């Protein structure tokens, strides 16, 4: 096991709306014997501003993030798109500032998405979870397309006792979230998430999961509005389950 | 749904989403060609080819002036004419002058998006000429007085029954929706036009500097006829469509036809390098190559957007884009639709004017994955949004939404200072109370946020945020050693 202490980078949406996802991460780390801390003062990685074009404002958030996380050993986050923001876009934001650019690169090199950290860095394929249910997995765009993380979560899910993973059609097609896109172009966004939900329902799985709470929030919000009977869980919550409880 | 005033883009998008016919076509298009291209790239023996072609495209952009001069020299040496047109009007004037000198009455066209970009058809028609599209899809669009909705398959939004009705009305045939019969009817009508045309007007897929040719790909043979039968051929070429060598040409064409139609090579590849000669009698008496800038050198000059000029217009990005796949091509209101259209249209025709194209995507990255030359369209969309966010002198763009800009200035203060952020959250948690419904979700919000709740529920801010939970449980220890916290977190 790694001797390094993991610093939890809890995405703002997880912190504010889905704290159980953060708690589930802790449960998994406890079970695996991974030490962790939670650097105080964290807010938002800056992605909403960056994706809307407000790169200077995003840079302020990035600066704040770097200040807070600079002295950590390893940063692990339950969101692919936030990891991508830190790893790929922070260095871009400081392209004209050599000192900040180097700091951004250094932070990026030690920032990992949760499932990627478990599988690729710690070499863990089985976290000892027990979740007797049918589950389908949504590939979030930034996670799968940009970070290339698609096998790691599946490996972990396939090793969960009792869990049957049923692949949905077009699992790597965008759910239609897109940050402010979802609010600015709601009709298009909802049409996209509707197709995603139809593909989820077609698997007849009782739970849909993924590694990015933003996409899951979009899917959850529409599932509730449509009144569909499918549970939406972040992958950490499934990996945290160890008593065979259906959450 | 929402009562907010809607832009043309949103209205057209909704029209597209409301058409079952279009939805069915888009679905099968993306299923076949989008997925097909991804499989093709994954299975291609030469896994380095896309990177290589991209690299050569970028290199050629760096040396564009030299390559174009070389091309022009070679075409002229064969007796062809070359005209460099700075803008649309210049290209139109030149073509009109050629037509006037040759007393052209009928123009047959090969499929060309550039011809749409510069709106040359209406100029020719106003000058008294008949203009006939000879690509089947474009011909159908022309008969229907409609607009293309895909850069490769222009009438994807029409099904065969609609085309059957159209042919009955316009070509006087008995109604049929049988594709071979419809194709035969079009072929018969087009043959007559092709045989009697005075001028062929085409685009140019690629040009090769080393040989001094332009090349055109097609599957219907119409290009070959339009470029050889009429006495005059005018080819419109976007100035970025050039490769240096025949080797580069071969690979680029292979990626083009694979990306466009999953073909290793199109049925026809026509090379044109000048007028007919005594030892090569097939071809027009006059050949004119019009090399068009129309905003391209401005793109070339900006390192942030230069990459978009590497596009080979294969249309593959349309075949995977989840937004295009819902709304179809008409909403883009441009000859160039889909992801490539969303980047190139604002750059050519105004970022403010086409703000919806810059903002109307999720930046999912599928277009970059499928693009044969790996163009990073999402990066450039974010770049365009940056121009809208802060304004840009270089791009003559003004700040698009000052209110939004102000909101992000506030946001910046809040996320840079966590006590303020935490206080803000607490206030928001109090304010949200009346809105939380029976299923513990927020059902309705006002203003901009209604964009979310019009179609979706929103989880409220949790009674205790993760930070608050952490503070309560772990305030004493800096680093949590494993196991020490286990029972706490099984709650
Ligand atoms: S951007 Fe790429 S995929 Fe899209 S049309 Fe151009 S070359 Fe084809």
């Amino acid at each position: 096991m790694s001797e390094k202490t993991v610093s939890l980078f809890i995405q703002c949406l997880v912190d504010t709306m889905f704290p159980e996802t953060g708690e589930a991460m802790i449960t998994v780390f406890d079970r695996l014997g991974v030490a962790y801390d939670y650097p105080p003062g964290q807010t938002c990685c800056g992605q909403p501003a960056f994706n809307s074009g407000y790169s200077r404002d995003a840079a302020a958030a990035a600066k704040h993030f770097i200040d807070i996380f600079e002295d950590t050993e390893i940063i692990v986050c339950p969101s692919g798109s936030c990891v991508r923001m830190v790893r790929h876009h922070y260095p871009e934001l400081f392209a004209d500032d050599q000192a900040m650019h180097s700091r951004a690169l250094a932070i990026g090199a030690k920032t990992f998405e949760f499932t990627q950290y478990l599988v690729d860095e710690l070499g863990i394929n089985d976290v000892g979870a027990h979740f007797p249910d049918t589950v389908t997995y949504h590939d979030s765009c930034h996670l799968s397309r940009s970070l290339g993380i698609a096998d790691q979560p599946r490996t972990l899910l396939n090793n969960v006792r009792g869990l049957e993973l049923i692949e949905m059609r077009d699992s790597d097609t965008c759910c239609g979230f897109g940050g402010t896109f979802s609010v600015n172009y709601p009709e298009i966004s909802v049409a996209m998430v509707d197709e995603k939900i139809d593909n989820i329902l077609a698997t007849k799985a009782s739970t849909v999961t993924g590694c990015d709470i933003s996409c899951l929030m979009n899917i959850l919000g529409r599932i509730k509005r449509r009144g569909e009977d499918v549970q939406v869980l972040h992958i950490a919550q499934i990996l945290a389950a160890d008593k065979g409880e259906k959450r | 749904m929402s009562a907010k005033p809607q832009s043309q883009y949103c209205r057209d998008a909704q029209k597209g989403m409301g058409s079952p016919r279009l939805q069915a076509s888009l679905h099968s298009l993306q299923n076949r060609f989008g997925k097909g291209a991804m499989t093709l790239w994954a299975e291609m023996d030469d896994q380095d080819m896309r990177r290589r072609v991209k690299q050569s495209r970028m290199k050629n952009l760096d040396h564009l002036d030299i390559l174009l001069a070389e091309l022009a020299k070679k075409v002229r040496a064969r007796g062809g004419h070359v005209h460099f047109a700075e803008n649309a009007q210049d290209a139109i004037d030149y073509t009109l002058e050629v037509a006037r000198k040759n007393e052209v009455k009928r123009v047959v066209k090969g499929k060309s998006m550039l011809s749409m970009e510069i709106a040359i058809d209406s100029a020719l028609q106003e000058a008294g000429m008949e203009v006939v599209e000879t690509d089947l899809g474009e011909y159908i669009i022309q008969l229907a007085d409609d607009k293309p909705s895909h850069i490769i398959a222009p009438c994807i939004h029409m099904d065969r029954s609609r085309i059957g009705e159209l042919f009955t009305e316009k070509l006087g045939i008995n109604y049929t929706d049988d594709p071979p019969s419809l194709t035969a009817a079009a072929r018969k009508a087009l043959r007559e036009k092709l045989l009697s045309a005075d001028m062929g007007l085409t685009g140019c897929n690629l040009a090769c500097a080393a040989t001094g040719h332009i090349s055109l790909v097609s599957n219907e043979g119409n290009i070959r006829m339009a470029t050889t039968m009429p006495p005059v051929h005018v080819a419109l070429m976007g100035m970025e469509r050039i490769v240096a060598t025949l080797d580069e040409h071969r690979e680029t064409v292979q990626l083009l036809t694979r990306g466009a139609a999953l073909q290793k090579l199109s049925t026809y590849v026509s090379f044109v390098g000048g007028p007919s000669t005594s030892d090569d009698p097939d071809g027009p008496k006059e050949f004119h190559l019009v090399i068009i800038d129309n905003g391209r050198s401005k793109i070339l000059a900006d390192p942030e957007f230069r990459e978009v000029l590497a596009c080979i217009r294969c249309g593959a990005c349309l075949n995977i884009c989840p937004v295009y796949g819902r709304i179809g091509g008409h909403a883009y209101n441009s000859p160039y639709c889909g992801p490539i259209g969303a980047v190139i249209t604002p750059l050519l025709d105004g970022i403010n004017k086409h703000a919806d194209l810059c903002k109307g995507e999720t930046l999912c990255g599928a277009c970059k994955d499928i693009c044969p030359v790996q163009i990073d369209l999402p990066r450039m969309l974010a770049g365009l949004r940056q121009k809208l966010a802060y304004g840009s002198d270089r791009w003559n763009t003004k700040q698009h939404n000052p209110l939004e800009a102000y909101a992000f200035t506030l946001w910046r203060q809040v996320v840079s200072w966590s006590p303020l952020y935490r206080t803000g959250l607490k206030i928001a948690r109090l304010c949200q109370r009346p809105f939380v419904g029976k299923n513990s979700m927020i059902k309705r919000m006002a203003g901009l946020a209604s964009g979310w709740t019009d179609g979706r529920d929103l989880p409220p801010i949790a009674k205790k945020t993760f930070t608050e939970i952490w503070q309560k449980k772990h305030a004493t220890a800096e680093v949590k050693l494993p196991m020490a916290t286990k029972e706490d977190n099984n709650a």
Side-chain angles (χ1 to χ4, degrees), chain A residues 46-73:
Chain A
Q47 202 179 180
F50 182 81
N51 286 346
S52 305
Y54 293 89
S55 51
R56 285 177 223 156
D57 301 291
K63 166 96 175 33
H64 179 74
F65 182 94
I66 293 172
D67 286 344
I68 283 185
F69 281 95
E70 192 140 48
D71 296 329
T72 58
E73 288 184 279

PDB file of all heavy atoms in Angstrom, chain A residues 46-73:
ATOM      1  N   GLY A  46     -12.957  25.996 -10.610  1.00  0.00           N
ATOM      2  CA  GLY A  46     -12.995  27.054 -11.614  1.00  0.00           C
ATOM      3  C   GLY A  46     -13.597  26.646 -12.942  1.00  0.00           C
ATOM      4  O   GLY A  46     -13.710  27.458 -13.871  1.00  0.00           O
ATOM      5  N   GLN A  47     -14.000  25.394 -13.010  1.00  0.00           N
ATOM      6  CA  GLN A  47     -14.496  24.894 -14.281  1.00  0.00           C
ATOM      7  C   GLN A  47     -15.697  25.644 -14.862  1.00  0.00           C
ATOM      8  O   GLN A  47     -15.727  25.895 -16.062  1.00  0.00           O
ATOM      9  CB  GLN A  47     -14.828  23.414 -14.104  1.00  0.00           C
ATOM     10  CG  GLN A  47     -14.844  22.678 -15.386  1.00  0.00           C
ATOM     11  CD  GLN A  47     -15.150  21.205 -15.185  1.00  0.00           C
ATOM     12  OE1 GLN A  47     -15.186  20.495 -16.122  1.00  0.00           O
ATOM     13  NE2 GLN A  47     -15.372  20.765 -13.969  1.00  0.00           N
ATOM     14  N   PRO A  48     -16.687  26.018 -14.024  1.00  0.00           N
ATOM     15  CA  PRO A  48     -17.841  26.718 -14.597  1.00  0.00           C
ATOM     16  C   PRO A  48     -17.421  27.986 -15.340  1.00  0.00           C
ATOM     17  O   PRO A  48     -17.925  28.275 -16.429  1.00  0.00           O
ATOM     18  CB  PRO A  48     -18.707  27.061 -13.386  1.00  0.00           C
ATOM     19  CG  PRO A  48     -18.269  26.131 -12.307  1.00  0.00           C
ATOM     20  CD  PRO A  48     -16.833  25.807 -12.578  1.00  0.00           C
ATOM     21  N   ALA A  49     -16.485  28.720 -14.753  1.00  0.00           N
ATOM     22  CA  ALA A  49     -16.026  29.946 -15.400  1.00  0.00           C
ATOM     23  C   ALA A  49     -15.240  29.620 -16.660  1.00  0.00           C
ATOM     24  O   ALA A  49     -15.440  30.222 -17.719  1.00  0.00           O
ATOM     25  CB  ALA A  49     -15.169  30.766 -14.436  1.00  0.00           C
ATOM     26  N   PHE A  50     -14.368  28.646 -16.553  1.00  0.00           N
ATOM     27  CA  PHE A  50     -13.518  28.305 -17.693  1.00  0.00           C
ATOM     28  C   PHE A  50     -14.354  27.879 -18.900  1.00  0.00           C
ATOM     29  O   PHE A  50     -14.158  28.367 -20.016  1.00  0.00           O
ATOM     30  CB  PHE A  50     -12.545  27.192 -17.309  1.00  0.00           C
ATOM     31  CG  PHE A  50     -11.613  26.824 -18.427  1.00  0.00           C
ATOM     32  CD1 PHE A  50     -10.488  27.587 -18.689  1.00  0.00           C
ATOM     33  CD2 PHE A  50     -11.889  25.739 -19.251  1.00  0.00           C
ATOM     34  CE1 PHE A  50      -9.644  27.271 -19.742  1.00  0.00           C
ATOM     35  CE2 PHE A  50     -11.048  25.414 -20.307  1.00  0.00           C
ATOM     36  CZ  PHE A  50      -9.922  26.180 -20.555  1.00  0.00           C
ATOM     37  N   ASN A  51     -15.302  26.993 -18.677  1.00  0.00           N
ATOM     38  CA  ASN A  51     -16.112  26.501 -19.795  1.00  0.00           C
ATOM     39  C   ASN A  51     -16.995  27.585 -20.386  1.00  0.00           C
ATOM     40  O   ASN A  51     -17.417  27.492 -21.532  1.00  0.00           O
ATOM     41  CB  ASN A  51     -16.968  25.310 -19.367  1.00  0.00           C
ATOM     42  CG  ASN A  51     -16.128  24.053 -19.210  1.00  0.00           C
ATOM     43  OD1 ASN A  51     -14.986  24.002 -19.658  1.00  0.00           O
ATOM     44  ND2 ASN A  51     -16.698  23.061 -18.553  1.00  0.00           N
ATOM     45  N   SER A  52     -17.289  28.619 -19.598  1.00  0.00           N
ATOM     46  CA  SER A  52     -18.103  29.707 -20.134  1.00  0.00           C
ATOM     47  C   SER A  52     -17.244  30.789 -20.777  1.00  0.00           C
ATOM     48  O   SER A  52     -17.768  31.798 -21.222  1.00  0.00           O
ATOM     49  CB  SER A  52     -18.945  30.331 -19.015  1.00  0.00           C
ATOM     50  OG  SER A  52     -19.704  29.339 -18.380  1.00  0.00           O
ATOM     51  N   GLY A  53     -15.948  30.605 -20.785  1.00  0.00           N
ATOM     52  CA  GLY A  53     -15.074  31.566 -21.447  1.00  0.00           C
ATOM     53  C   GLY A  53     -14.406  32.545 -20.502  1.00  0.00           C
ATOM     54  O   GLY A  53     -13.568  33.335 -20.920  1.00  0.00           O
ATOM     55  N   TYR A  54     -14.784  32.505 -19.204  1.00  0.00           N
ATOM     56  CA  TYR A  54     -14.230  33.480 -18.258  1.00  0.00           C
ATOM     57  C   TYR A  54     -12.905  32.965 -17.684  1.00  0.00           C
ATOM     58  O   TYR A  54     -12.800  32.615 -16.508  1.00  0.00           O
ATOM     59  CB  TYR A  54     -15.257  33.790 -17.168  1.00  0.00           C
ATOM     60  CG  TYR A  54     -16.450  34.509 -17.745  1.00  0.00           C
ATOM     61  CD1 TYR A  54     -17.542  33.803 -18.248  1.00  0.00           C
ATOM     62  CD2 TYR A  54     -16.465  35.899 -17.862  1.00  0.00           C
ATOM     63  CE1 TYR A  54     -18.623  34.449 -18.837  1.00  0.00           C
ATOM     64  CE2 TYR A  54     -17.534  36.563 -18.441  1.00  0.00           C
ATOM     65  CZ  TYR A  54     -18.606  35.834 -18.927  1.00  0.00           C
ATOM     66  OH  TYR A  54     -19.659  36.490 -19.515  1.00  0.00           O
ATOM     67  N   SER A  55     -11.925  32.920 -18.550  1.00  0.00           N
ATOM     68  CA  SER A  55     -10.672  32.284 -18.169  1.00  0.00           C
ATOM     69  C   SER A  55      -9.934  33.061 -17.085  1.00  0.00           C
ATOM     70  O   SER A  55      -9.285  32.477 -16.230  1.00  0.00           O
ATOM     71  CB  SER A  55      -9.794  32.115 -19.398  1.00  0.00           C
ATOM     72  OG  SER A  55      -9.692  33.336 -20.070  1.00  0.00           O
ATOM     73  N   ARG A  56     -10.059  34.390 -17.088  1.00  0.00           N
ATOM     74  CA  ARG A  56      -9.356  35.161 -16.052  1.00  0.00           C
ATOM     75  C   ARG A  56      -9.964  34.891 -14.682  1.00  0.00           C
ATOM     76  O   ARG A  56      -9.253  34.799 -13.684  1.00  0.00           O
ATOM     77  CB  ARG A  56      -9.467  36.657 -16.358  1.00  0.00           C
ATOM     78  CG  ARG A  56      -8.555  37.083 -17.486  1.00  0.00           C
ATOM     79  CD  ARG A  56      -8.767  38.564 -17.778  1.00  0.00           C
ATOM     80  NE  ARG A  56      -8.809  38.781 -19.197  1.00  0.00           N
ATOM     81  CZ  ARG A  56      -9.413  39.811 -19.784  1.00  0.00           C
ATOM     82  NH1 ARG A  56     -10.053  40.706 -19.061  1.00  0.00           N
ATOM     83  NH2 ARG A  56      -9.379  39.942 -21.084  1.00  0.00           N
ATOM     84  N   ASP A  57     -11.288  34.770 -14.661  1.00  0.00           N
ATOM     85  CA  ASP A  57     -11.944  34.467 -13.390  1.00  0.00           C
ATOM     86  C   ASP A  57     -11.618  33.040 -12.962  1.00  0.00           C
ATOM     87  O   ASP A  57     -11.406  32.769 -11.786  1.00  0.00           O
ATOM     88  CB  ASP A  57     -13.455  34.680 -13.529  1.00  0.00           C
ATOM     89  CG  ASP A  57     -13.766  36.117 -13.935  1.00  0.00           C
ATOM     90  OD1 ASP A  57     -13.550  37.015 -13.108  1.00  0.00           O
ATOM     91  OD2 ASP A  57     -14.166  36.346 -15.098  1.00  0.00           O
ATOM     92  N   ALA A  58     -11.559  32.150 -13.955  1.00  0.00           N
ATOM     93  CA  ALA A  58     -11.188  30.764 -13.648  1.00  0.00           C
ATOM     94  C   ALA A  58      -9.769  30.719 -13.082  1.00  0.00           C
ATOM     95  O   ALA A  58      -9.471  29.936 -12.175  1.00  0.00           O
ATOM     96  CB  ALA A  58     -11.285  29.900 -14.902  1.00  0.00           C
ATOM     97  N   ALA A  59      -8.911  31.587 -13.591  1.00  0.00           N
ATOM     98  CA  ALA A  59      -7.525  31.601 -13.125  1.00  0.00           C
ATOM     99  C   ALA A  59      -7.443  31.987 -11.645  1.00  0.00           C
ATOM    100  O   ALA A  59      -6.578  31.502 -10.911  1.00  0.00           O
ATOM    101  CB  ALA A  59      -6.688  32.554 -13.972  1.00  0.00           C
ATOM    102  N   ALA A  60      -8.374  32.841 -11.208  1.00  0.00           N
ATOM    103  CA  ALA A  60      -8.393  33.215  -9.788  1.00  0.00           C
ATOM    104  C   ALA A  60      -8.728  31.990  -8.937  1.00  0.00           C
ATOM    105  O   ALA A  60      -8.104  31.754  -7.890  1.00  0.00           O
ATOM    106  CB  ALA A  60      -9.410  34.333  -9.548  1.00  0.00           C
ATOM    107  N   ALA A  61      -9.712  31.208  -9.403  1.00  0.00           N
ATOM    108  CA  ALA A  61     -10.072  29.985  -8.678  1.00  0.00           C
ATOM    109  C   ALA A  61      -8.902  29.000  -8.695  1.00  0.00           C
ATOM    110  O   ALA A  61      -8.614  28.332  -7.698  1.00  0.00           O
ATOM    111  CB  ALA A  61     -11.316  29.352  -9.302  1.00  0.00           C
ATOM    112  N   ALA A  62      -8.220  28.944  -9.827  1.00  0.00           N
ATOM    113  CA  ALA A  62      -7.090  28.021  -9.966  1.00  0.00           C
ATOM    114  C   ALA A  62      -5.977  28.404  -8.995  1.00  0.00           C
ATOM    115  O   ALA A  62      -5.383  27.560  -8.326  1.00  0.00           O
ATOM    116  CB  ALA A  62      -6.577  28.042 -11.402  1.00  0.00           C
ATOM    117  N   LYS A  63      -5.743  29.690  -8.907  1.00  0.00           N
ATOM    118  CA  LYS A  63      -4.704  30.189  -7.999  1.00  0.00           C
ATOM    119  C   LYS A  63      -5.038  29.783  -6.557  1.00  0.00           C
ATOM    120  O   LYS A  63      -4.179  29.302  -5.808  1.00  0.00           O
ATOM    121  CB  LYS A  63      -4.622  31.717  -8.154  1.00  0.00           C
ATOM    122  CG  LYS A  63      -3.847  32.456  -7.089  1.00  0.00           C
ATOM    123  CD  LYS A  63      -2.414  32.693  -7.546  1.00  0.00           C
ATOM    124  CE  LYS A  63      -1.602  33.536  -6.577  1.00  0.00           C
ATOM    125  NZ  LYS A  63      -1.886  33.408  -5.161  1.00  0.00           N
ATOM    126  N   HIS A  64      -6.300  29.974  -6.185  1.00  0.00           N
ATOM    127  CA  HIS A  64      -6.761  29.605  -4.843  1.00  0.00           C
ATOM    128  C   HIS A  64      -6.539  28.108  -4.597  1.00  0.00           C
ATOM    129  O   HIS A  64      -6.023  27.696  -3.556  1.00  0.00           O
ATOM    130  CB  HIS A  64      -8.245  29.953  -4.707  1.00  0.00           C
ATOM    131  CG  HIS A  64      -8.844  29.604  -3.380  1.00  0.00           C
ATOM    132  ND1 HIS A  64      -8.587  30.321  -2.236  1.00  0.00           N
ATOM    133  CD2 HIS A  64      -9.674  28.595  -3.005  1.00  0.00           C
ATOM    134  CE1 HIS A  64      -9.240  29.778  -1.217  1.00  0.00           C
ATOM    135  NE2 HIS A  64      -9.898  28.719  -1.657  1.00  0.00           N
ATOM    136  N   PHE A  65      -6.894  27.317  -5.601  1.00  0.00           N
ATOM    137  CA  PHE A  65      -6.747  25.857  -5.491  1.00  0.00           C
ATOM    138  C   PHE A  65      -5.281  25.475  -5.296  1.00  0.00           C
ATOM    139  O   PHE A  65      -4.928  24.681  -4.422  1.00  0.00           O
ATOM    140  CB  PHE A  65      -7.307  25.198  -6.747  1.00  0.00           C
ATOM    141  CG  PHE A  65      -7.238  23.686  -6.717  1.00  0.00           C
ATOM    142  CD1 PHE A  65      -8.330  22.943  -6.283  1.00  0.00           C
ATOM    143  CD2 PHE A  65      -6.093  23.016  -7.120  1.00  0.00           C
ATOM    144  CE1 PHE A  65      -8.267  21.558  -6.240  1.00  0.00           C
ATOM    145  CE2 PHE A  65      -6.023  21.632  -7.084  1.00  0.00           C
ATOM    146  CZ  PHE A  65      -7.115  20.899  -6.641  1.00  0.00           C
ATOM    147  N   ILE A  66      -4.437  26.085  -6.098  1.00  0.00           N
ATOM    148  CA  ILE A  66      -3.005  25.741  -6.039  1.00  0.00           C
ATOM    149  C   ILE A  66      -2.425  26.123  -4.673  1.00  0.00           C
ATOM    150  O   ILE A  66      -1.688  25.359  -4.058  1.00  0.00           O
ATOM    151  CB  ILE A  66      -2.240  26.427  -7.198  1.00  0.00           C
ATOM    152  CG1 ILE A  66      -2.692  25.814  -8.530  1.00  0.00           C
ATOM    153  CG2 ILE A  66      -0.732  26.274  -7.025  1.00  0.00           C
ATOM    154  CD1 ILE A  66      -2.177  26.521  -9.771  1.00  0.00           C
ATOM    155  N   ASP A  67      -2.823  27.297  -4.177  1.00  0.00           N
ATOM    156  CA  ASP A  67      -2.355  27.716  -2.853  1.00  0.00           C
ATOM    157  C   ASP A  67      -2.715  26.679  -1.795  1.00  0.00           C
ATOM    158  O   ASP A  67      -1.916  26.361  -0.915  1.00  0.00           O
ATOM    159  CB  ASP A  67      -2.985  29.070  -2.464  1.00  0.00           C
ATOM    160  CG  ASP A  67      -2.363  30.223  -3.240  1.00  0.00           C
ATOM    161  OD1 ASP A  67      -1.276  30.012  -3.826  1.00  0.00           O
ATOM    162  OD2 ASP A  67      -2.964  31.313  -3.279  1.00  0.00           O
ATOM    163  N   ILE A  68      -3.927  26.166  -1.898  1.00  0.00           N
ATOM    164  CA  ILE A  68      -4.415  25.249  -0.862  1.00  0.00           C
ATOM    165  C   ILE A  68      -3.790  23.859  -0.969  1.00  0.00           C
ATOM    166  O   ILE A  68      -3.491  23.225   0.040  1.00  0.00           O
ATOM    167  CB  ILE A  68      -5.958  25.179  -0.938  1.00  0.00           C
ATOM    168  CG1 ILE A  68      -6.498  26.452  -0.300  1.00  0.00           C
ATOM    169  CG2 ILE A  68      -6.501  23.934  -0.253  1.00  0.00           C
ATOM    170  CD1 ILE A  68      -7.957  26.497  -0.176  1.00  0.00           C
ATOM    171  N   PHE A  69      -3.585  23.413  -2.191  1.00  0.00           N
ATOM    172  CA  PHE A  69      -3.170  22.022  -2.377  1.00  0.00           C
ATOM    173  C   PHE A  69      -1.670  21.841  -2.638  1.00  0.00           C
ATOM    174  O   PHE A  69      -1.207  20.728  -2.813  1.00  0.00           O
ATOM    175  CB  PHE A  69      -3.964  21.380  -3.518  1.00  0.00           C
ATOM    176  CG  PHE A  69      -5.347  20.952  -3.120  1.00  0.00           C
ATOM    177  CD1 PHE A  69      -6.444  21.777  -3.334  1.00  0.00           C
ATOM    178  CD2 PHE A  69      -5.553  19.714  -2.520  1.00  0.00           C
ATOM    179  CE1 PHE A  69      -7.720  21.377  -2.957  1.00  0.00           C
ATOM    180  CE2 PHE A  69      -6.828  19.305  -2.141  1.00  0.00           C
ATOM    181  CZ  PHE A  69      -7.909  20.149  -2.363  1.00  0.00           C
ATOM    182  N   GLU A  70      -0.952  22.939  -2.702  1.00  0.00           N
ATOM    183  CA  GLU A  70       0.438  22.850  -3.117  1.00  0.00           C
ATOM    184  C   GLU A  70       1.286  21.892  -2.277  1.00  0.00           C
ATOM    185  O   GLU A  70       2.105  21.141  -2.796  1.00  0.00           O
ATOM    186  CB  GLU A  70       1.070  24.241  -3.074  1.00  0.00           C
ATOM    187  CG  GLU A  70       2.411  24.288  -3.761  1.00  0.00           C
ATOM    188  CD  GLU A  70       2.553  25.573  -4.549  1.00  0.00           C
ATOM    189  OE1 GLU A  70       2.256  26.630  -3.974  1.00  0.00           O
ATOM    190  OE2 GLU A  70       2.933  25.512  -5.724  1.00  0.00           O
ATOM    191  N   ASP A  71       1.061  21.888  -0.972  1.00  0.00           N
ATOM    192  CA  ASP A  71       1.941  21.105  -0.101  1.00  0.00           C
ATOM    193  C   ASP A  71       1.474  19.670   0.117  1.00  0.00           C
ATOM    194  O   ASP A  71       1.962  18.985   1.003  1.00  0.00           O
ATOM    195  CB  ASP A  71       2.077  21.807   1.260  1.00  0.00           C
ATOM    196  CG  ASP A  71       2.765  23.152   1.097  1.00  0.00           C
ATOM    197  OD1 ASP A  71       3.596  23.268   0.174  1.00  0.00           O
ATOM    198  OD2 ASP A  71       2.443  24.091   1.850  1.00  0.00           O
ATOM    199  N   THR A  72       0.537  19.235  -0.668  1.00  0.00           N
ATOM    200  CA  THR A  72       0.012  17.882  -0.485  1.00  0.00           C
ATOM    201  C   THR A  72       0.886  16.874  -1.223  1.00  0.00           C
ATOM    202  O   THR A  72       1.678  17.234  -2.093  1.00  0.00           O
ATOM    203  CB  THR A  72      -1.418  17.787  -1.036  1.00  0.00           C
ATOM    204  OG1 THR A  72      -1.373  18.149  -2.414  1.00  0.00           O
ATOM    205  CG2 THR A  72      -2.352  18.720  -0.306  1.00  0.00           C
ATOM    206  N   GLU A  73       0.686  15.586  -0.862  1.00  0.00           N
ATOM    207  CA  GLU A  73       1.445  14.534  -1.553  1.00  0.00           C
ATOM    208  C   GLU A  73       0.704  14.056  -2.800  1.00  0.00           C
ATOM    209  O   GLU A  73       1.275  13.932  -3.875  1.00  0.00           O
ATOM    210  CB  GLU A  73       1.651  13.348  -0.605  1.00  0.00           C
ATOM    211  CG  GLU A  73       2.638  13.626   0.508  1.00  0.00           C
ATOM    212  CD  GLU A  73       2.876  12.382   1.339  1.00  0.00           C
ATOM    213  OE1 GLU A  73       2.036  12.104   2.221  1.00  0.00           O
ATOM    214  OE2 GLU A  73       3.876  11.694   1.103  1.00  0.00           O
TER     215      GLU A  73
END
